[in-house]
Amino acid sequence: MDTKKFLVGTLVGGVAFFFLGYLIYGLALAGFFSSHSAPTAGAMKSMESIVWWSLIVGNLSSGALLSYIFLKWARISSFSTGASAAATIGFFISLSMDLIRFATQNLFDLTATLADVAVGTVMTAIAGGLVGAALGMGNKG
């Protein structure tokens, strides 16, 4: 596996997940998720109390997952194949995590849980497309 491409893909994916998360969860759908969350005090952290290192490492880990799969097993090196593969990966990861969270935690109602699956799928597809494009840079074709 090409370590340089893995690191570039990890960085591109991590940055994409970070900014998409901010745009979607922090701006576009913040009100929606707030209105569909359980009345548990302190369930969602404010911007001032976010543990930034953990958020950054988590986003980079998502980018690394896609980069590893694309380089090691799938040999993906374009935006379209990256987005397509990542949509499937994102759907199943989001579905599994969100349904387990719904079953075991009192955080979101079913509407928000299913919406989060859709958001996770779209975010992963976009990030995966960018990772695929980054991995394909410099390829002779």
Side-chain angles (χ1 to χ4, degrees):
M1 182 168 60
D2 186 332
T3 303
K4 181 180 176 187
K5 284 190 177 204
F6 174 74
L7 293 174
V8 168
T10 296
L11 184 61
V12 167
V15 169
F17 276 112
F18 182 86
F19 284 109
L20 288 167
Y22 172 71
L23 292 172
I24 295 171
Y25 291 109
L27 297 178
L29 297 178
F32 170 81
F33 282 107
S34 289
S35 68
H36 288 278
S37 61
T40 307
M44 299 299 288
K45 291 186 176 189
S46 67
M47 289 294 284
E48 296 79 29
S49 61
I50 288 175
V51 182
W52 288 101
W53 71 263
S54 182
L55 181 62
I56 291 166
V57 172
N59 283 304
L60 288 171
S61 295
S62 295
L65 174 66
L66 294 179
S67 293
Y68 187 83
I69 291 170
F70 291 3
L71 283 169
K72 186 79 171 178
W73 295 315
R75 303 198 195 294
I76 289 173
S77 59
S78 73
F79 184 90
S80 61
T81 56
S84 176
T88 303
I89 293 166
F91 172 76
F92 285 113
I93 288 174
S94 296
L95 184 65
S96 66
M97 296 305 297
D98 281 321
L99 289 178
I100 290 168
R101 188 179 307 124
F102 180 74
T104 61
Q105 297 177 10
N106 200 14
L107 186 58
F108 290 132
D109 64 16
L110 185 58
T111 300
T113 297
L114 297 176
D116 195 51
V117 173
V119 169
T121 302
V122 170
M123 281 180 55
T124 307
I126 294 168
L130 294 171
V131 169
L135 297 178
M137 291 174 66
N139 286 353
K140 294 182 180 180

